[in-house]
Amino acid sequence: MGPRIADMPQDSEASLCLPSTSARAPASSNSSCSSHTQAQHLVAVGIMFTAQTVLGVGGVPIQPFGISYIDDFAHNSNSPLYLGILFAVTMLGPGMAYGLGGLMLRLYVDINRMPEGGINLTSKDPRWVGAWWLGFLISAGVVALAAIPYFFFPREMPKEKHELRFRRRVLAVSASPVSKGEDSSSEQSTEASPEKKAGLAQIAPNLTAVQFIKVFPRVLLRTLRHPIFLLVVLSQVCTSSMVAGMATFLPKFLERQFSVTASFANLLIGCVTIPLAIMGIVMGGFLVKRLRLGPMRCSILCLLGMLFCLLLSLPLFFMGCSTHHIAGIIHQPGAQPGLERFPGCMEPCSCPSDDFNPVCEPSSRVEYLTPCHAGCTSRMVQEALDKSQVFYTNCSCVAGGSPVLAGSCDSACSHLVLPFMILVGLGATLASVTHTPSFMLILRGVKKEDKTLAVGIQFMLQRVLAWMPSPVIHGTAIDTTCVHWAQSCGRRAVCRYYDNDLLRNRFIGLQFFFKTSSLACFALILAILRQQNKEEGTKATVSSPGLQQQLLASGREKKPEESRV
């Protein structure tokens, strides 16, 4: 699960400045770099990939089929609210996961191997590795219990009251003989045909596997050629790319920018961002139901939500501080020089190049990779009521030889973490408001027999175009801001220090790019819907000019019903 603390090279005594004559054991032992150890690592990675694949296969059917299931058996006016509740409950899982992860990360990765001697690591130490694996075991048990009720669901849910009446009328119309339809008046057939057509689409018979394979390419092309569907999916891909990057790297970003622990960063996300996002999803579904928003107004709601989300992200570019002075790596203009002032201070020491046990000189906020790099020759522990602090003294590379404190220097912008998270949470709320209206644009824009397939295609495109490449894009952009890499077995390992200004600009810049792209998609959707409405109005005027007075007279009565999603 993780390296034993007793085996780690960053020992308190080994990190001190020792004479060059004293032989120091190499930091990277041959055993940790052997082919057998690397093969074990590859096996662990393979198991993780397999587990994630199985998790994805099990989680895929819930959303597409669940959305279509609710929309089929709920009344049209209630469907948006039900879907909003579904999406909100779905978001509740990540919120609880962040909270659970924050608690688990307070435990060391090897919870049964905490040694009595050696290094006394705390969760604030950059070498700390939390019990990341424990959350998987707890979540897997909860998922197994939650899956049991699915076995007791009926094949068809009881229809809601108004929907049941409509279905019965549709069945009565579809079961009537053809001769009766021929004998009936043209006016009655005109009124019944749209209802019958919609009903037959909803009550379409189940296809066999061979029939489905034959029909699938034609249905797929018909769905992909729908401009509103493509633009809505593209906007959701952009939004999902933003969410995937934020969910994956926001804890790391908070750690680097504001010097918070990994557990506290996860708790902040789970307690601030996720609840506000849930509130936004429910609010979006409620607005669609309460205001009876049609496609046009749904697109306007999505456009406004994404626009204000974009505006709230602008202050995030300026909420942060530059990387503090790292001796021998980063030198801030005007700061007190470290190793540069004492170029020969490390000559008596034999400091390993790949050792990492950072210490901080509090007065000048200069950080050193190890006590050895600060020229410290002794160690002192100051006991307190709730915790103990470790100091290193007799440091030849520190001005005045003052003692240095174990651990990295805190960020000067730690007080900005709460305002930053509030802005991120408000932006998540506004972006989440667009979730349910955008889904309603899909459900009401495609044919009813293609609804399940359309939602499935949408989720597939989101996974392929957003959730898979977005973490890679964000991770690559973050890696380009690294200024000091650790070495392991002669190869580049983890990044020790980042250029915080560059990290902030590139991370928030990627978020800004995806929000802008989603906003552009909603603007195009609104433009297309307006053009379609103009064309339909022109055709209606040319084909039946005598009906204008009737339409104007009954417009107030029909408009709420026609605009209802």
Side-chain angles (χ1 to χ4, degrees):
M1 295 175 190
R4 303 182 70 171
I5 294 183
D7 298 334
M8 295 177 67
Q10 294 89 350
D11 190 282
S12 299
E13 298 297 331
S15 297
L16 294 175
C17 177
L18 302 177
S20 301
T21 55
S22 302
R24 189 188 296 267
S28 298
S29 60
N30 293 329
S31 60
S32 62
C33 297
S34 65
S35 58
H36 176 68
T37 304
Q38 294 182 2
Q40 287 181 330
H41 292 168
L42 290 177
V43 171
V45 172
I47 293 175
M48 288 294 295
F49 272 113
T50 304
Q52 292 293 330
T53 302
V54 174
L55 182 64
V57 171
V60 160
I62 297 177
Q63 287 282 359
F65 295 122
I67 292 170
S68 181
Y69 201 71
I70 291 175
D71 192 58
D72 280 340
F73 296 102
H75 191 262
N76 286 344
S77 62
N78 296 330
S79 180
L81 181 61
Y82 293 160
L83 290 179
I85 295 174
L86 171 66
F87 297 140
V89 174
T90 304
M91 284 292 296
L92 189 63
M96 296 174 63
Y98 274 112
L100 178 64
L103 295 176
M104 296 300 103
L105 290 177
R106 293 183 179 182
L107 304 174
Y108 189 66
V109 61
D110 295 331
I111 55 178
N112 61 335
R113 297 185 183 179
M114 292 297 290
E116 297 180 358
I119 306 176
N120 295 320
L121 290 178
T122 64
S123 58
K124 290 187 176 181
D125 196 298
R127 297 167 295 169
W128 176 270
V129 180
W132 56 268
W133 53 273
L134 196 55
F136 281 96
L137 297 182
I138 298 174
S139 301
V142 175
V143 168
L145 293 176
I148 295 176
Y150 284 98
F151 291 100
F152 303 98
F153 270 68
R155 180 178 293 273
E156 290 190 4
M157 289 283 287
K159 287 83 174 177
E160 287 194 339
K161 186 176 180 180
H162 300 291
E163 194 74 6
L164 183 59
R165 293 177 183 173
F166 171 75
R167 298 290 179 93
R168 285 175 177 173
R169 290 200 305 267
V170 171
L171 286 172
V173 171
S174 60
S176 61
V178 180
S179 59
K180 289 185 180 180
E182 294 175 352
D183 296 337
S184 60
S185 63
S186 60
E187 182 179 354
Q188 292 178 346
S189 63
T190 304
E191 293 177 355
S193 58
E195 192 179 34
K196 179 180 178 181
K197 184 177 179 181
L200 291 176
Q202 294 180 4
I203 321 167
N206 295 327
L207 299 177
T208 64
V210 177
Q211 291 174 336
F212 176 77
I213 293 175
K214 292 180 179 179
V215 173
F216 179 76
R218 186 169 64 254
V219 177
L220 179 63
L221 289 177
R222 183 172 64 213
T223 304
L224 292 178
R225 289 170 59 186
H226 198 293
I228 301 298
F229 173 79
L230 282 180
L231 285 173
V232 171
V233 170
L234 188 58
S235 68
Q236 291 184 344
V237 165
C238 295
T239 305
S240 298
S241 299
M242 173 193 69
V243 174
M246 188 75 74
T248 307
F249 293 104
L250 184 57
K252 183 185 187 72
F253 180 85
L254 296 177
E255 291 179 55
R256 297 296 177 173
Q257 289 288 327
F258 306 109
S259 297
V260 298
T261 62
S263 60
F264 184 66
N266 282 276
L267 285 175
L268 274 179
I269 298 172
C271 296
V272 177
T273 308
I274 302 297
L276 289 176
I278 293 174
M279 187 187 307
I281 292 176
V282 176
M283 189 186 306
F286 176 77
L287 289 175
V288 174
K289 171 181 169 57
R290 183 69 177 177
L291 303 178
R292 299 179 177 180
L293 301 182
M296 179 77 71
R297 293 183 179 179
C298 278
S299 61
I300 293 175
L301 178 61
C302 294
L303 185 68
L304 291 177
M306 196 55 64
L307 176 62
F308 286 111
C309 175
L310 188 68
L311 294 177
L312 281 178
S313 64
L314 290 176
L316 302 181
F317 284 98
F318 309 99
M319 300 180 68
C321 295
S322 302
T323 308
H324 53 271
H325 186 183
I326 312 296
I329 298 175
I330 299 177
H331 176 67
Q332 295 295 337
Q336 180 182 0
L339 300 179
E340 298 86 354
R341 184 175 178 179
F342 310 102
C345 63
M346 288 176 52
E347 289 182 0
C349 310
S350 55
C351 301
S353 59
D354 54 353
D355 200 354
F356 186 67
N357 182 19
V359 293
C360 178
E361 203 281 301
S363 59
S364 60
R365 297 188 68 254
V366 177
E367 185 171 328
Y368 300 84
L369 291 177
T370 64
C372 180
H373 287 81
C376 304
T377 58
S378 59
R379 176 176 176 269
M380 176 182 66
V381 180
Q382 182 179 357
E383 298 292 341
L385 294 177
D386 54 345
K387 61 179 180 180
S388 59
Q389 288 186 331
V390 178
F391 292 89
Y392 295 91
T393 58
N394 301 325
C395 304
S396 58
C397 296
V398 180
S402 59
V404 294
L405 181 64
S408 297
C409 297
D410 290 334
S411 172
C413 299
S414 299
H415 61 285
L416 294 177
V417 62
L418 285 180
F420 183 91
M421 288 304 300
I422 290 174
L423 283 178
V424 171
L426 291 177
T429 303
L430 293 171
S432 300
V433 168
T434 68
H435 199 67
T436 303
S438 61
F439 264 97
M440 298 311 298
L441 287 172
I442 292 178
L443 294 176
R444 298 296 180 260
V446 300
K447 292 186 176 182
K448 295 193 176 183
E449 63 266 26
D450 300 340
K451 190 181 346 180
T452 303
L453 179 61
V455 176
I457 293 173
Q458 177 227 1
F459 275 95
M460 180 195 70
L461 293 177
Q462 278 185 322
R463 299 300 192 275
V464 174
L465 300 180
W467 290 98
M468 290 176 61
S470 179
V472 177
I473 294 172
H474 281 80
T476 304
I478 290 175
D479 284 346
T480 59
T481 66
C482 183
V483 293
H484 178 67
W485 290 93
Q487 299 293 323
S488 176
C489 301
R491 292 177 296 182
R492 194 175 74 175
V494 298
C495 181
R496 299 295 190 193
Y497 297 104
Y498 293 91
D499 184 336
N500 282 350
D501 290 333
L502 199 58
L503 171 63
R504 182 173 63 256
N505 291 333
R506 294 191 177 178
F507 181 72
I508 303 299
L510 273 175
Q511 299 286 305
F512 192 85
F513 168 76
F514 287 122
K515 293 175 184 178
T516 306
S517 302
S518 181
L519 179 66
C521 291
F522 285 127
L524 290 175
I525 291 172
L526 181 59
I528 292 175
L529 288 175
R530 283 184 174 177
Q531 184 64 29
Q532 289 179 354
N533 286 348
K534 288 181 181 179
E535 293 177 356
E536 290 176 0
T538 305
K539 289 179 180 178
T541 304
V542 172
S543 60
S544 56
L547 296 177
Q548 289 183 4
Q549 294 181 354
Q550 297 179 9
L551 292 174
L552 290 175
S554 60
R556 293 183 179 181
E557 298 177 0
K558 291 185 177 180
K559 187 173 182 181
E561 294 297 327
E562 291 173 355
S563 63
R564 187 180 302 177
V565 175

